[in-house]
Amino acid sequence: MSASPKTDWKKLIWALMGVAVFFVLPNFLSRFSIYLMALIFTTGLLATSLNMVLGYGGMYQFHHAVFYGFGAYTTALFLTKTGLPGWVAFVCAPLASALLSLLIGLICVRLSKLYFGMFQISLGSLVWAIIYRWYSFTHGDDGIHGIPVPDLIASGKSAYYFALIVLVVCLMIMYRIVESPFGRIFQGVRDNPERSEAVGVNVRKHQLVGMIIGGTFAGVAGSLFVVVEGSVFPDLLFWTLSLEILIMCLLGGWFTFLGPLFGAAIIVLLRTFVGIYTEYWTIVLGIVLMLLIFFLPEGVLGYIITRYRSRRNPKFQEG
Amino acid sequence: MDLLPNISLAAFCQQLLVGLSRTTILFIVASGLSLVLGVLRIPNVAHGSLYMIGAFLAYTIASAAGGGTFGFWLALVLAPLGVALISLAVERGLFCRLYEREHLMLLLFTFAFTLVFGDLVKLVWGSDFRSMNAPTSLQGSFDVLGFPFPKYNLFLLIIGPIVALGLWWLTNKTKIGKIAKAAAVDREMVAAVGINVSWVFASVFVIGCFLAGLGGALVAPTQNITQGMDHGIIIETFLIVIIGGLGNIWGALLGALIFGLTDAIGILIFPQFAIVFPYVAVITVLMLRPKGLLKSVW
Amino acid sequence: MLQVKSLTKNFDGFMAVNGAGLSLEKGQVIAVIGPNGAGKTTLFNLITGQLAPTSGTIRFKGEDITGIPPYAIVRKGLCRSYQVVNIFNRLTVFENVQVAVLSRRKHTFNLFSNARRMAVNETSRILESVGLKDMAHSISGSLSHGDQKVLEIAISLGNRPELLIMDEPTAGMSPEETEVTLSLMKKLSDEMGLTILFCEHDMNMVFAIAHEIMVMQQGKSIIQGKPDAVRVDKQVQEAYLGGDDICYA
Amino acid sequence: MKPLSRFILTTLAVLVFSAIITGPTAFAAKAVKVGIVDCYSGPPSTYTNDVRDAFKLAIDKINASGSLSRKIEFVTRDSKFKVDIGLSAAKELIMRENVDIMMGTINSGLALAISDLCKKEKIPFLVTFSKSAKITGEKGHRYVFSLTENSALAGKAMAESLAKKPYTKFWIGGDDYEYGHAIADATWEHLIKIKPEVQLLGQSWWKVREPDFTPYITAMLAAKPDAVIVATGGADCVPFLKAAKATGFNDKVPFIMHTATELSTLKPLGANGPEGVLGTSNYFHYFPDSAENKAFVSEFKAAYDRPPAVGALYGYLAATFIQKAYATAGSFKTEKFIDALEGMTVDSPVGKVTIRAFDHQAMLPMFMGVTKKSAEYDYLIADDIIVISGEDAMPAIEEIKKARGM
């Protein structure tokens, strides 16, 4: 990672080109592919938001889906139960998720590693149980369907563009955060919390802020889900989904910024298309995961970057 | 509606006994998980799958042996051994190469096993519900203070202490137990004394998984043996291990007691909200003692 | 500058530190020596706030800092480096030091500035002064052990400490690396006027650099004084020379 | 290590890429395509496999007979009991496979989600297992049809039979999710309407897939009710009946449980199941003792080597309705198909079944029986069967209008 402005420019140009491609892409894609891409954008944003906490903060965020589902439900409830303009819902969802992550974070951050993760799972399961049970408000396990999304973004193509724009904006903000002093120090906390404390960092507070950032963007992803699918249901907060997002981060490479997005794309595509040929999609996922942990622990993108670097500069080669 | 129906002492005692027998199963499964966590530092999510496989194996063995009393006892002995065998293969083949990895990687690796085992069970046993019988002598119930208490639950109440005693003997009186305890605290030290840590780990892993299989075989006569049995138990046992203190077998016992009893008493007192009781108990414990009730080896 | 009085730390009945006292003035270099298990590392952990003392007081610049969390102590200008390598493995050398500089400048919750353009000069200066400039953009985890130890010190410098506490700065180093570290410490003391408190097993080094020496045994401080005075102290000789594992000039 | 990693990368890339570029399998000219999304993994698959297998059997017969000018084909997708996966699969079937009709699913949340999707896409959706009364009730619309009973029907049927017994003090226990509550509410609301003196002592709700029912049974016994309404379903029926047997619950307090008498529940229990349990179901392979049912059972047995369970009836109904609706409409246009389906009656193993035109709910007869040992089978069967006709169990149209806010 060189600090020279030249690479910054290069990166920017690449990013712009990428975005441009995605902007014209719908003209060449089938309706289903457009939907699938929008779903990938949503899931990718979710995975990236988890990686803010997991990859950059080194925290065992085992129940990230709670913040996603909470955001989705907030959006859905605002759209169905209030007469407020639709856009209010999209602002409130991330705020609600941020608030929930603050609450859960306040209780959790004092615990370390595995305790943190497991405690989060039990708190998250409690939130899930409430949403699953509260029929009069959340419609319980039936979920809420046919949510009236604002007309402007209701169709498949416009949902695609909405998801794309939101994704790009969120990625820019998240990249900015990663590259900010906070992000730098947060990575320090990940590598070595004890040492961070010894250079004057309030580790707990950093982890809390990190959790809130991750939770907020998960909330954004949750409202994107409502736009793309038009439904919410308690599965969105179930712990198995959380593990799936973890796998996405791992698969793409959790020490890279775009890795999780990449991982999300691979998982969504594999799930959709392997599912066409076999009922045994889970076993495929299991085996892919095992191979990955054995041979590519840095993830797909992480592997590519490491190799690219080591080719340019043999010094970077890691054991 | 009255939230607090008049609870007789008899009903309360009855519920306590029932809760204790549930505790037995939770303890057996959780202690295996805790053992593996403590010594190998592997958060084994596949523990629940092994429990499920234990139940399915018990069903198959019992049916093959004619489904009667003999079948049950044969299954109770062979099914956990079968699970132990599977886990031995898995440990020697894969896990032993991964011990130095991060906990997160290990956790995801065992999760991969959950996925694979889940589909394998579907491939091998299909989608029908399965069920096996308790031996004739353990069917039906006793009358305890005017309430029926299933004989099989009594059997579980006897098995529980036996397993606990066995574990105590294993960890305190046998050589492998002592080595494992030492290895849990300081792995390098044990290796430095010239003990083959790798095999100690394998044995502990197999014993842990054996307990999962035993739990599965023990519940088989009372439950519907189906896919998805693994999901519920794994979260419950993880919570138990966490509140007890990671890697502490007696913590697992304490955690199972808290979990099983709050569940049973909650059902009696607030039947409508019974579902959240154990979770509230867990959260309360962790708020007060963030590192679990007993000393954690982590 | 730093006064430690009758400090104790009780680990489940084991008194790791049992009445340790220490005082040092600005600009001094003070070494703490003592046999293995004498409680040196525990003492440092107590001073820097990683552990809370069972009893006793620690005053820094006249202020009572007993029981304050580590990050708050660091902000007062009391920093440490570690016995085992304790750096940010996945960050580059530059970023390692930058983390400390940013933390000192209280930018820790700045979410939207570009970190690459911040604290560049100061970080580069620190790297230059410790001789790590060439490796600024290497991932620190891939450095040699000696370089990592130097980086360890460089991180501490990022906090612009007034008092630097070093736990065995030359542990596990080759003679050449030790030499480099020694001259670095001299430079820090002489040129930057840093106050240094360190513990060390290598007596050559201790006597080469320390202005004063404090000797610990079984959690107690036996004596604090000039090297020559310590050398001839009877108690120290009993504590130390009684054993046969010392290389003491 | 290096080449291996590269190999895995390449394999992954190839997999993803080939998955994207391969379109749907070249479709045979002008076939009617039915897309089924259902859960084929986990406990629910014991029910859903029967739907699919019976549907396939009936479709094959229809195609062979040539009664339609186009062949019917179908594709299935596994939802894994996850709404997100199922919904995504439904979109894939509609947008990529271009199916003409959607079918499924046992998961109520997913059924409602797909129903909403089909409403937007204007594709008929035949619900084959979900018991949610909302599907054809509150959330009903032109494109959704239910070929299975629902919680409202079952609840009403159970209430009717309970009212005939001398019980007044009740306890309700059930699965703590939508289905459990819906069926309990439906039963209780109807029961209190037709027999106002009934009294509810209390309720217990357990989590879905509760491993041990003994504590709940003990709690119920402690309250000393006259009878218990057990609102549990699916995979939980088996362990509940086991616990009932072990505690002698069935001997001490009478209890009624929807689906308790179903094959999927009683078969795993073998000859050891509890006798005397009241249960309702849409279908038994030994009842009604009619020629149609016997023929259906023997065909199913010949094809799959097992007796058909209730799901098979739904699968059969779906295929039969599809065939008859296209034949009656004389066209393969969706709107004509729907018009034909409204109010249509077909013959089935359980006699004539009609789809009510107003809410698109199939009026299926409900069979209430008591579990009893049988000489013929090695598992319990339902005995003393009372038939509650579909018309009697159907919720009133006014109620549905009210729910829909009409």
Side-chain angles (χ1 to χ4, degrees):
Chain A
M1 241 182 250
S2 147
S4 75
K6 210 169 147 195
T7 42
D8 271 0
W9 273 111
K10 244 177 159 176
K11 266 187 190 169
L12 193 67
I13 290 167
W14 273 109
L16 279 176
M17 271 165 59
V19 172
V21 166
F22 282 113
F23 258 91
V24 293
L25 205 56
N27 298 315
F28 308 100
L29 290 178
S30 70
R31 235 178 109 211
F32 179 65
S33 305
I34 291 174
Y35 155 73
L36 208 58
M37 292 296 292
L39 190 62
I40 289 173
F41 295 155
T42 309
T43 321
L45 178 56
L46 173 64
T48 312
S49 72
L50 168 63
N51 207 44
M52 291 295 285
V53 191
L54 180 81
Y56 287 100
M59 299 160 75
Y60 283 6
Q61 178 106 333
F62 284 172
H63 211 339
H64 195 62
V66 164
F67 310 116
Y68 176 57
F70 203 70
Y73 263 93
T74 311
T75 317
L77 289 170
F78 259 98
L79 289 176
T80 51
K81 304 236 160 173
T82 70
L84 296 169
W87 306 108
V88 177
F90 296 111
V91 177
C92 287
L95 290 180
S97 292
L99 201 67
L100 182 72
S101 34
L102 174 69
L103 271 177
I104 292 186
L106 275 177
I107 309 173
C108 283
V109 286
R110 61 209 182 99
L111 306 180
S112 55
K113 293 276 161 180
L114 207 58
Y115 278 100
F116 173 86
M118 290 311 295
F119 197 28
Q120 203 183 35
I121 285 192
S122 47
L123 282 173
S125 300
L126 209 61
V127 177
W128 171 83
I130 291 168
I131 288 189
Y132 190 87
R133 285 211 42 165
W134 197 355
Y135 304 101
S136 53
F137 189 60
T138 63
H139 297 266
D141 54 308
D142 273 353
I144 306 170
H145 309 282
I147 298 161
V149 177
D151 288 337
L152 188 62
I153 50 172
S155 83
K157 231 180 210 181
S158 50
Y160 171 96
Y161 283 116
F162 183 68
L164 179 61
I165 292 167
V166 172
L167 174 72
V168 169
V169 170
C170 288
L171 284 183
M172 273 160 57
I173 299 173
M174 280 194 270
Y175 189 72
R176 194 81 213 205
I177 293 175
V178 166
E179 291 288 319
S180 75
F182 171 83
R184 203 44 56 85
I185 289 166
F186 201 37
Q187 290 174 60
V189 171
R190 166 197 69 199
D191 283 358
N192 198 333
E194 189 195 1
R195 184 65 171 142
S196 307
E197 194 131 56
V199 297
V201 174
N202 186 343
V203 170
R204 300 273 170 263
K205 212 159 144 193
H206 257 78
Q207 290 180 329
L208 186 60
V209 172
M211 262 190 84
I212 294 172
I213 292 170
T216 311
F217 286 104
V220 176
S223 31
L224 272 191
F225 183 86
V226 175
V227 173
V228 174
E229 296 281 19
S231 289
V232 293
F233 30 80
D235 283 355
L236 292 178
L237 296 91
F238 201 56
W239 61 274
T240 48
L241 180 63
S242 293
L243 286 186
E244 244 176 73
I245 321 167
L246 267 173
I247 295 173
M248 290 171 192
C249 291
L250 188 75
L251 179 64
W254 50 312
F255 295 119
T256 57
F257 183 72
L258 289 177
L261 186 65
F262 214 67
I266 295 175
I267 293 276
V268 171
L269 288 175
L270 276 180
R271 185 174 68 195
T272 310
F273 292 103
V274 173
I276 291 173
Y277 299 104
T278 172
E279 276 174 27
Y280 295 95
W281 142 248
T282 348
I283 208 169
V284 175
L285 179 63
I287 291 167
V288 167
L289 186 56
M290 281 184 197
L291 291 175
L292 196 76
I293 292 171
F294 255 98
F295 302 109
L296 287 177
E298 298 261 298
V300 175
L301 205 61
Y303 174 75
I304 293 170
I305 288 177
T306 317
R307 276 194 54 107
Y308 173 72
R309 267 198 205 154
S310 66
R311 196 171 292 171
R312 286 208 323 182
N313 183 354
K315 238 185 196 170
F316 285 116
Q317 200 148 2
E318 281 171 67
Chain B
M1 202 183 326
D2 194 359
L3 271 181
L4 272 169
N6 293 325
I7 302 152
S8 66
L9 188 66
F12 187 79
C13 294
Q14 170 72 11
Q15 202 70 342
L16 219 58
L17 281 178
V18 170
L20 281 174
S21 59
R22 173 84 188 127
T23 301
T24 302
I25 298 290
L26 289 174
F27 164 65
I28 290 172
V29 181
S31 62
L33 185 68
S34 193
L35 204 60
V36 173
L37 251 171
V39 179
L40 284 81
R41 306 290 161 98
I42 297 179
N44 186 9
V45 185
H47 205 67
S49 310
L50 293 166
Y51 162 88
M52 171 168 73
I53 292 173
F56 270 103
L57 275 179
Y59 158 79
T60 304
I61 293 165
S63 332
T69 303
F70 172 68
F72 169 81
W73 295 111
L74 192 69
L76 195 58
V77 174
L78 289 186
L81 286 177
V83 172
L85 219 61
I86 293 170
S87 66
L88 182 67
V90 168
E91 203 277 343
R92 286 291 90 184
L94 297 168
F95 276 120
C96 62
R97 291 153 219 269
L98 290 170
Y99 286 141
E100 298 307 317
R101 295 288 184 86
E102 275 178 80
H103 301 321
L104 184 66
M105 287 291 183
L106 290 170
L107 186 122
L108 283 173
F109 196 73
T110 58
F111 180 65
F113 264 102
T114 314
L115 299 175
V116 171
F117 280 145
D119 264 4
L120 280 180
V121 164
K122 181 171 145 191
L123 271 170
V124 174
W125 280 284
S127 59
D128 281 348
F129 296 157
R130 310 284 180 178
S131 164
M132 69 183 262
N133 290 325
T136 340
S137 51
L138 294 178
Q139 288 176 5
S141 56
F142 295 110
D143 198 69
V144 178
L145 303 167
F147 289 101
F149 185 68
K151 286 180 190 167
Y152 194 79
N153 285 37
L154 183 76
F155 169 66
L156 291 181
L157 284 183
I158 298 166
I159 288 282
I162 293 176
V163 171
L165 221 67
L167 276 174
W168 175 82
W169 178 77
L170 190 81
T171 47
N172 290 305
K173 297 282 159 190
T174 62
K175 197 175 161 205
I176 186 157
K178 285 177 186 166
I179 298 172
K181 259 168 116 178
V185 180
D186 193 339
R187 208 176 282 188
E188 281 82 25
M189 192 62 127
V190 174
V193 204
I195 293 164
N196 188 341
V197 193
S198 173
W199 273 102
V200 175
F201 281 8
S203 324
V204 170
F205 188 77
V206 168
I207 293 167
C209 296
F210 173 88
L211 288 168
L214 181 64
L218 279 173
V219 296
T222 63
Q223 280 194 33
N224 192 1
I225 306 164
T226 65
Q227 304 166 53
M229 277 175 85
D230 46 347
H231 274 191
I233 193 91
I234 192 62
I235 286 284
E236 281 180 8
T237 44
F238 253 110
L239 291 177
I240 285 168
V241 168
I242 292 275
I243 55 176
L246 289 181
N248 189 320
I249 295 173
W250 309 115
L253 179 59
L254 201 59
L257 275 170
I258 290 174
F259 209 87
L261 292 182
T262 45
D263 199 27
I265 302 302
I267 290 164
L268 197 65
I269 300 173
F270 294 115
Q272 282 182 292
F273 303 101
I275 202 165
V276 296
F277 259 72
Y279 293 96
V280 172
V282 169
I283 289 168
T284 317
V285 167
L286 282 184
M287 296 276 259
L288 298 174
R289 292 197 60 123
K291 288 238 137 189
L293 289 167
L294 298 186
K295 204 168 167 228
S296 155
V297 299
W298 277 47
Chain C
M1 187 171 217
L2 181 76
Q3 281 84 34
V4 177
K5 278 204 189 102
S6 50
L7 206 60
T8 60
K9 176 67 189 176
N10 187 340
F11 286 116
D12 291 337
F14 168 67
M15 300 298 281
V17 172
N18 191 4
L22 184 66
S23 92
L24 68 163
E25 300 304 319
K26 195 165 171 54
Q28 278 188 314
V29 175
I30 294 199
V32 176
I33 62 169
N36 272 325
K40 302 183 296 283
T41 300
T42 312
L43 175 68
F44 285 5
N45 282 335
L46 290 170
I47 295 174
T48 53
Q50 257 90 6
L51 293 172
T54 312
S55 69
T57 54
I58 306 159
R59 299 180 81 81
F60 180 60
K61 293 193 287 187
E63 189 184 346
D64 190 355
I65 57 163
T66 321
I68 291 179
Y71 64 88
I73 291 180
V74 173
R75 288 182 187 165
K76 295 186 189 301
L78 195 163
C79 299
R80 73 175 297 187
S81 73
Y82 290 77
Q83 180 176 358
V84 286
V85 170
N86 213 341
I87 54 174
F88 308 114
N89 268 317
R90 289 192 159 268
L91 300 186
T92 63
V93 169
F94 182 85
E95 288 165 344
N96 262 275
V97 177
Q98 195 192 19
V99 163
V101 177
L102 289 171
S103 157
R104 194 202 76 238
R105 293 193 184 174
K106 299 206 168 50
H107 288 311
T108 51
F109 290 101
N110 181 339
L111 287 170
F112 298 105
S113 305
N114 190 343
R116 289 190 200 182
R117 304 219 176 87
M118 296 174 77
V120 176
N121 288 338
E122 187 177 346
T123 307
S124 306
R125 216 163 41 236
I126 292 170
L127 288 177
E128 198 164 4
S129 70
V130 298
L132 283 177
K133 192 140 200 239
D134 297 341
M135 304 170 202
H137 297 294
S138 303
I139 300 289
S140 63
S142 61
L143 258 48
S144 73
H145 180 76
D147 286 341
Q148 287 183 339
K149 290 285 284 193
V150 174
L151 176 59
E152 171 79 55
I153 296 169
I155 294 174
S156 311
L157 294 179
N159 282 100
R160 204 181 280 169
E162 291 171 57
L163 169 61
L164 179 62
I165 297 184
M166 301 165 94
D167 195 352
E168 296 200 29
T170 63
M173 280 192 175
S174 66
E176 295 79 33
E177 288 168 338
T178 307
E179 201 52 50
V180 173
T181 310
L182 188 62
S183 56
L184 175 62
M185 284 172 72
K186 275 192 172 138
K187 190 172 151 192
L188 294 177
S189 166
D190 299 345
E191 291 175 20
M192 298 179 168
L194 209 58
T195 317
I196 297 176
L197 173 67
F198 73 106
C199 72
E200 187 55 66
H201 278 289
D202 183 343
M203 292 305 152
N204 288 323
M205 185 179 160
V206 170
F207 284 95
I209 188 170
H211 300 147
E212 280 190 13
I213 295 174
M214 190 271 260
V215 186
M216 275 186 93
Q217 190 196 13
Q218 290 170 358
K220 284 190 184 67
S221 40
I222 311 178
I223 185 178
Q224 180 181 352
K226 299 275 179 233
D228 293 336
V230 170
R231 205 191 292 258
V232 296
D233 186 88
K234 228 175 164 184
Q235 261 184 301
V236 178
Q237 287 189 343
E238 267 167 30
Y240 239 92
L241 298 176
D244 33 31
D245 59 336
I246 3 110
C247 46
Y248 166 25
Chain D
M1 196 99 147
K2 273 276 152 60
L4 235 164
S5 333
R6 203 176 307 153
F7 169 73
I8 293 165
L9 264 181
T10 334
T11 324
L12 256 176
V14 168
L15 257 173
V16 171
F17 190 67
S18 59
I20 299 167
I21 55 166
T22 52
T25 39
F27 43 93
K30 289 185 178 178
V32 172
K33 207 169 196 177
V34 181
I36 308 181
V37 175
D38 218 332
C39 174
Y40 297 116
S41 302
S45 51
T46 192
Y47 302 103
T48 54
N49 285 337
D50 270 30
V51 179
R52 180 192 54 197
D53 292 348
F55 184 74
K56 182 177 185 310
L57 206 60
I59 290 292
D60 287 347
K61 229 170 125 185
I62 292 164
N63 285 342
S65 76
S67 59
L68 289 177
S69 60
R70 291 186 190 173
K71 292 241 182 290
I72 301 175
E73 32 179 70
F74 73 98
V75 276
T76 60
R77 297 285 182 266
D78 185 5
S79 78
K80 312 238 174 254
F81 214 74
K82 295 260 169 59
V83 182
D84 47 346
I85 294 179
L87 189 56
S88 193
K91 288 191 174 171
E92 189 258 324
L93 287 176
I94 291 174
M95 297 175 181
R96 191 167 160 277
E97 296 275 353
N98 297 310
V99 297
D100 302 288
I101 298 170
M102 284 295 298
M103 239 175 90
T105 160
I106 194 163
N107 181 338
S108 294
L110 178 57
L112 287 164
I114 296 180
S115 168
D116 180 62
L117 174 68
C118 286
K119 185 176 161 190
K120 282 186 204 137
E121 298 285 339
K122 299 197 189 315
I123 289 188
F125 177 39
L126 311 181
V127 179
T128 49
F129 219 110
S130 162
K131 306 293 182 212
S132 173
K134 286 181 192 160
I135 291 169
T136 52
E138 185 190 339
K139 303 278 179 197
H141 54 84
R142 176 168 168 82
Y143 296 92
V144 71
F145 294 83
S146 170
L147 306 180
T148 167
E149 39 84 12
N150 61 35
S151 55
L153 269 84
K156 211 170 161 188
M158 288 207 288
E160 289 286 345
S161 56
L162 284 175
K164 295 186 183 102
K165 309 260 177 183
Y167 315 135
T168 50
K169 285 189 274 182
F170 285 88
W171 186 281
I172 291 177
D175 285 348
D176 198 0
Y177 71 135
E178 184 66 25
Y179 168 75
H181 286 280
I183 208 160
D185 291 350
T187 312
W188 189 249
E189 275 164 25
H190 194 64
L191 186 61
I192 209 157
K193 204 186 285 172
I194 54 179
K195 193 174 175 181
E197 67 270 30
V198 291
Q199 193 190 339
L200 187 59
L201 295 183
Q203 310 178 30
S204 346
W205 295 100
W206 46 78
K207 63 175 183 291
V208 179
R209 301 194 58 74
E210 171 64 47
D212 190 353
F213 287 99
T214 322
Y216 294 94
I217 287 176
T218 312
M220 289 180 200
L221 285 174
K224 299 192 176 64
D226 293 341
V228 176
I229 298 164
V230 181
T232 201
D236 283 351
C237 294
V238 173
F240 189 89
L241 291 181
K242 275 189 169 186
K245 169 90 177 175
T247 51
F249 185 48
N250 52 321
D251 300 328
K252 295 191 178 72
V253 178
F255 70 93
I256 186 165
M257 181 162 112
H258 184 52
T259 70
T261 47
E262 261 170 25
L263 182 67
S264 323
T265 310
L266 290 178
K267 201 173 160 195
L269 290 169
N272 236 327
E275 286 188 283
V277 176
L278 285 167
T280 39
S281 175
N282 268 150
Y283 180 74
F284 300 117
H285 65 89
Y286 42 82
F287 189 90
D289 204 9
S290 62
E292 284 98 336
N293 193 18
K294 276 184 181 147
F296 177 67
V297 171
S298 66
E299 256 175 57
F300 192 90
K301 264 188 176 162
Y304 301 112
D305 197 28
R306 64 172 197 264
V310 66
L313 174 70
Y314 306 142
Y316 174 87
L317 280 175
T320 319
F321 272 117
I322 290 172
Q323 187 271 337
K324 197 171 174 189
Y326 279 129
T328 316
S331 149
F332 289 95
K333 293 217 167 73
T334 296
E335 301 302 322
K336 292 254 169 70
F337 171 80
I338 289 173
D339 290 338
L341 216 46
E342 290 184 332
M344 174 170 277
T345 303
V346 295
D347 289 317
S348 81
V350 293
K352 292 208 181 304
V353 174
T354 306
I355 290 183
R356 187 156 78 176
F358 176 76
D359 59 352
H360 296 187
Q361 172 66 44
M363 298 195 272
L364 288 157
M366 190 74 76
F367 308 128
M368 146 99 72
V370 181
T371 56
K372 203 187 155 193
K373 281 206 169 76
S374 126
E376 206 176 328
Y377 306 102
D378 55 2
Y379 42 87
L380 302 195
I381 59 161
D383 199 28
D384 293 331
I385 293 173
I386 304 165
V387 179
I388 298 142
S389 77
E391 286 80 356
D392 287 346
M394 287 292 278
I397 290 182
E398 280 66 41
E399 281 172 33
I400 292 170
K401 277 188 173 161
K402 213 171 90 190
R404 291 189 191 173
M406 285 160 82

